[in-house]
Amino acid sequence: MFDDFNFKVLEFEKELDLDYIRGKLEKMEDISGTYDSLGERGGRWVPDSWELPTLYFAGDGTTLEVVTKDMDIGDVENFLCKLAQTLECRIFSEHLEYS
């Protein structure tokens, strides 16, 4: 089943500092990508693999948007669990929790 939630906004369990998020993402050993600061708007992380979603982090560190295209929903959910573990913070959607 392919996902149908392009630009899905998710919430963090707690507010995260963007420098903290950047540091955690850049230290991931098995997933590489590029983090770009977007000023007051937040930050963007683009993985090197096209098989992973691009992430946009809000400037206040409370939400993120997951941008996918024709990705299997199971793969997206597995990635969000990995992200939650990496950031040491649960991530919530309307009906689900990733940790």
Side-chain angles (χ1 to χ4, degrees):
M1 170 184 213
F2 289 104
D3 76 84
D4 61 353
F5 67 101
N6 289 331
F7 300 98
K8 178 70 176 176
V9 176
L10 304 174
E11 296 181 3
F12 292 119
E13 135 185 67
K14 59 187 175 188
E15 183 177 323
L16 298 176
D17 180 76
L18 293 178
D19 289 331
Y20 172 83
I21 292 171
R22 180 182 198 152
K24 289 290 191 175
L25 291 173
E26 289 178 345
K27 290 181 182 176
M28 284 195 293
E29 293 181 9
D30 52 341
I31 301 174
S32 61
T34 303
Y35 183 92
D36 297 304
S37 176
L38 302 176
E40 292 180 10
R41 294 185 346 212
R44 174 182 58 218
W45 185 74
V46 180
D48 291 338
S49 171
W50 286 94
E51 297 176 359
L52 297 173
T54 296
L55 305 175
Y56 287 86
F57 299 93
D60 64 3
T62 60
T63 62
L64 74 145
E65 292 182 49
V66 180
V67 182
T68 63
K69 182 176 171 109
D70 297 330
M71 293 181 64
D72 182 85
I73 189 70
D75 293 340
V76 175
E77 290 183 334
N78 289 338
F79 174 74
L80 291 173
C81 288
K82 168 76 174 166
L83 179 65
Q85 293 167 2
T86 298
L87 297 177
E88 300 174 358
C89 178
R90 291 184 294 175
I91 300 171
F92 299 98
S93 72
E94 185 177 356
H95 303 289
L96 299 172
E97 171 185 324
Y98 305 99
S99 56

